[in-house]
Amino acid sequence: MTTELVHLSATEAGELLRARKLSPVELTDAVLAQIERVDGRIRSYLLVDAAGARAKAKAAEAEIMAGRWRGQLHGIPYGVKDTFYTKGLRTCANSRVFLDFVPDHDAAVVEKLDAAGAILIGKLNTWEYGTGLGLVYHDAASAHATNPWKDDYFTGGSSTGSGAAVAAGTAMFALGADTGGSIRAPAAGCGIQGFKPTYGRISRHGILPNCWSLDVAGPMTWTISDCAHVLQAIAGFDPRDPGCADVAVPDYLARMADGVAGLTIGIMRDIGHSVSIDSANAAGIEDVASVLTDAGARLVEVSLPGPPLIYRQVTTLISGSERASAHEGDFIAHGDQMGRELRDSVMAGLAARSVDYLAAQRRRRELAAAVDAVVAGVDAVLLPGTLHTAPPASDADKVKAFMSDAMTTAFNISGHPALAVRTGFDQDGLPTNAQIVGRYFDEATVLRVAHTYERALAWHTRRSVF
């Protein structure tokens, strides 16, 4: 029964909770039991707050039984990347520098989920400080999460625990943060849905910064409906984040099931990449295209302005400089406690010249305008996410290739909403993926397109077996 409960989607569990056919206490105990059973293997958590979760579950149960239902996430257990502040609960960002750090306030998104009645289970694994260059040296404070689909395989980074937890049922949904693909890469590697919303759609107040001008927080979920519910709960303006946009939040569920008939979808087959896409991932893209065409969408060929390497070079220079600015004090005081990947990335940022940073920001504006000219001409764009399926965690070259051979950074540069979706599995049973991109602040259409595909293929009915 425990396994059956943790393999419900958050949407399914929410309906059962609302109907009082399932108790928040029962569901929370099932998730905690799943953590006890499998997390020694996948290491999705850095900290589990079982006592706090059970106390919140009892409170949620009392509210629901009294008819005070707060919404679809009321009583749903979740986890957050351990770069998100949690009041009274350690936030170490997988770093020895922060092993004793207990925030006195919650991140804005944690505040919102608490108001929605969701139950925080604990803090999810991450690369140190939630940052990195794709070079994994395995010397952070705790060992990184591994992939639930295959022993000792890479999850994608940097939201490693978030991807693993949702795939393994140790959280019913999770939150991650994305600077160059750190939500979408682990979503792709772990076979879940990972959404980087429009830059400014979600407050980053109370999240350890990586790069102010690129960082975006977002949901990592099992289904598209789950993604819509979580996004609904956490989106919205917050004056505490200077980058947060004062833009109205629509009802993401209102038209999600309307289908795609009459929509024009751009498909990006020519990726302009020196590295070929895996055949299984390419087949997944064609599967999505076929489903959308059969559902009444019109597909047109589009191309990304310039090769993917240009976007990665620009994001690397911008993020390195801003990371060094944010964490120079920690580096000076505690650099000897940092792992090599974090230390190297901060040092690279400190070595960058201001003229190069400014040039990169100017180039970013040019690239963003060029990307927007493509995206604005259609209702959504379909293209690859990561070009490869998850590699062995011990193969440094393949790990680096998984992260660098990806089509994610262009939309950090441009700020468009971008969703990683599962498209099936390769011959080794590893998840394949695609990416769906939308117009600025039009997350609703992205969800609508993805939901059409998910309903047609139902890959969400397949779970990893432990």
Side-chain angles (χ1 to χ4, degrees), residues 54-73:
R54 287 193 172 103
K56 289 179 180 178
K58 289 178 181 177
E61 182 177 79
E63 288 183 329
I64 293 171
M65 292 303 294
R68 298 194 300 273
W69 189 67
R70 300 195 205 178
Q72 198 68 35
L73 300 181

Side-chain angles (χ1 to χ4, degrees), residues 224 255-261 263-266 288-289 291-292 295 297 299 379-382 419 421 435-438 442-456:
I224 297 301
R255 298 193 61 195
M256 195 174 69
D258 284 0
V260 295
L263 297 186
T264 299
I265 310 295
V288 179
V291 166
L292 298 180
L299 266 67
D379 292 296
V381 176
L382 167 66
L419 172 67
V421 297
Q435 189 174 199
I436 300 171
V437 176
D442 191 13
E443 291 85 6
T445 298
V446 175
L447 291 166
R448 183 175 163 192
V449 172
H451 186 62
T452 300
Y453 174 70
E454 182 178 69
R455 284 190 301 174

Side-chain angles (χ1 to χ4, degrees), residues 27-342:
L27 184 59
T28 298
D29 283 342
V31 172
L32 290 170
Q34 181 77 342
I35 293 170
E36 182 68 23
R37 190 169 74 87
V38 307
D39 214 52
R41 169 184 156 188
I42 63 169
R43 302 188 294 271
S44 60
Y45 282 88
L46 295 177
L47 183 149
V48 175
D49 182 23
R54 287 193 172 103
K56 289 179 180 178
K58 289 178 181 177
E61 182 177 79
E63 288 183 329
I64 293 171
M65 292 303 294
R68 298 194 300 273
W69 189 67
R70 300 195 205 178
Q72 198 68 35
L73 300 181
H74 198 176
I76 300 294
Y78 77 101
V80 294
K81 184 175 183 177
D82 199 29
T83 54
F84 291 57
Y85 286 14
T86 44
K87 184 177 180 179
L89 199 63
R90 189 193 70 184
T91 300
C92 78
N94 202 2
S95 178
R96 295 174 186 85
V97 177
F98 288 133
L99 286 179
D100 297 321
F101 176 57
V102 178
D104 61 1
H105 65 281
D106 285 325
V109 288
V110 175
E111 291 175 348
K112 288 193 171 190
L113 288 171
D114 186 59
I119 297 168
L120 179 63
I121 291 284
K123 311 302 293 292
L124 294 166
N125 211 335
T126 175
W127 288 354
E128 189 172 6
Y129 275 46
T131 188
L133 304 174
L135 303 171
V136 182
Y137 297 109
H138 304 286
D139 61 354
S142 299
H144 292 137
T146 59
N147 202 308
W149 293 98
K150 196 166 185 178
D151 282 340
D152 299 320
Y153 266 59
F154 186 52
T155 58
S158 63
S159 305
T160 62
S162 299
V166 175
T170 59
M172 303 211 76
F173 70 87
L175 298 183
D178 192 311
T179 304
S182 289
I183 287 173
R184 289 162 290 159
C190 294
I192 65 170
Q193 323 290 359
F195 206 172
K196 180 201 78 68
T198 307
Y199 180 86
R201 173 62 89 184
I202 294 174
S203 174
R204 300 163 303 176
H205 171 73
I207 301 175
L208 188 71
N210 183 24
C211 174
W212 294 292
S213 66
L214 295 172
D215 290 347
V216 179
M220 301 176 71
T221 66
W222 187 245
T223 69
I224 297 301
S225 293
D226 294 354
C227 199
H229 284 298
V230 177
L231 186 60
Q232 196 75 61
I234 64 176
F237 177 63
D238 179 1
R240 295 172 297 180
D241 175 3
C244 201
D246 192 0
V247 176
V249 178
D251 183 342
Y252 291 117
L253 279 296
R255 298 193 61 195
M256 195 174 69
D258 284 0
V260 295
L263 297 186
T264 299
I265 310 295
I267 181 168
M268 200 174 291
R269 290 187 175 96
D270 179 11
I271 58 176
H273 212 298
S274 59
V275 180
S276 298
I277 185 173
D278 290 356
S279 59
N281 273 333
I285 301 289
E286 297 306 322
D287 283 348
V288 179
S290 177
V291 166
L292 298 180
T293 300
D294 290 346
R298 181 173 73 96
L299 266 67
V300 298
E301 297 280 347
V302 297
S303 297
L304 192 68
L309 180 60
I310 291 178
Y311 302 92
R312 183 161 291 279
Q313 288 173 336
V314 172
T315 56
T316 297
L317 184 51
I318 292 173
S319 64
S321 299
E322 294 189 15
R323 183 183 305 120
S325 176
H327 304 306
E328 181 182 15
D330 286 348
F331 176 75
I332 292 170
H334 306 292
D336 59 327
Q337 298 178 50
M338 293 178 172
R340 180 179 171 185
E341 185 175 18
L342 174 60

